[in-house]
Amino acid sequence: MIMTKEVMVTISGLQMAGGEGDSIEMVHIGEYYKRNGTHYVLFDELFEGMSLPVKNVIKIKNRCMEVQKKGPVTATMVFEEGKSRSSTYVIPYGSFLIETYTTSVRIQEEEDRLEAIGAYKLDINGSHSADCDIRVIVQSKEAFRL
């Protein structure tokens, strides 16, 4: 993959709970590099009411995607096909236990674009919350398209 260090990162998600769907999409300017077969995507995220940014690192390799958040929000979410992972999601108002059971992870590499899609079941504090999809698209700024 030939991609510039500075990239556009599009993250979209869909949660299905009780027959209702809720989707979100965010676009950030970030950094990209690849080392030892693993793709790394770094970007800062600002939340309303928080003075400090949340630093995000996304690692993508084979059939696995890992999202790490550090700062006012702290979490590590691992989406590895066929596996269940637990972590604590910490926000300024408290924390909760999340568990993800990932049913699939697909990764598509092109010359100036990387796309990773994960499907998973989300449990919060031991109760099933939603069936979710996460989609991460990393593109060189020159090739960015909505």
Side-chain angles (χ1 to χ4, degrees):
M1 170 180 286
I2 301 168
M3 194 168 348
T4 59
K5 184 178 178 185
E6 192 171 48
V7 292
M8 300 302 291
V9 183
T10 306
I11 300 174
S12 54
L14 174 65
Q15 291 188 340
M16 296 297 293
E20 298 286 316
D22 188 24
S23 64
I24 187 170
E25 183 172 281
M26 302 170 294
V27 179
H28 302 280
I29 294 174
E31 293 181 20
Y32 165 86
Y33 64 94
K34 186 175 182 179
R35 183 175 296 146
N36 297 327
T38 300
H39 302 274
Y40 293 86
V41 183
L42 298 81
F43 63 93
D44 288 350
E45 189 175 9
L46 287 170
F47 288 96
E48 191 174 325
M50 293 184 195
S51 57
L52 296 173
V54 175
K55 302 213 172 272
N56 291 271
V57 176
I58 300 175
K59 299 177 190 176
I60 301 168
K61 181 180 182 178
N62 299 332
R63 297 183 97 60
C64 183
M65 180 172 24
E66 180 178 328
V67 179
Q68 296 177 351
K69 295 180 172 293
K70 293 183 180 173
V73 174
T74 305
T76 300
M77 295 171 288
V78 178
F79 306 99
E80 187 172 3
E81 194 167 295
K83 295 199 175 175
S84 184
R85 298 289 179 99
S86 297
S87 74
T88 302
Y89 202 102
V90 180
I91 59 174
Y93 317 105
S95 63
F96 45 94
L97 178 68
I98 61 170
E99 184 168 357
T100 57
Y101 173 73
T102 306
T103 54
S104 71
V105 176
R106 292 188 326 236
I107 299 166
Q108 182 177 345
E109 282 185 65
E110 296 174 20
E111 185 175 317
D112 57 3
R113 188 172 192 270
L114 172 68
E115 181 174 10
I117 300 172
Y120 63 99
K121 297 182 181 310
L122 175 66
D123 288 0
I124 299 176
N125 291 331
S127 297
H128 181 68
S129 175
D131 294 332
C132 307
D133 291 331
I134 182 171
R135 181 179 183 192
V136 177
I137 300 172
V138 182
Q139 302 172 84
S140 61
K141 287 175 72 175
E142 298 77 26
F144 178 69
R145 57 192 186 269
L146 288 173

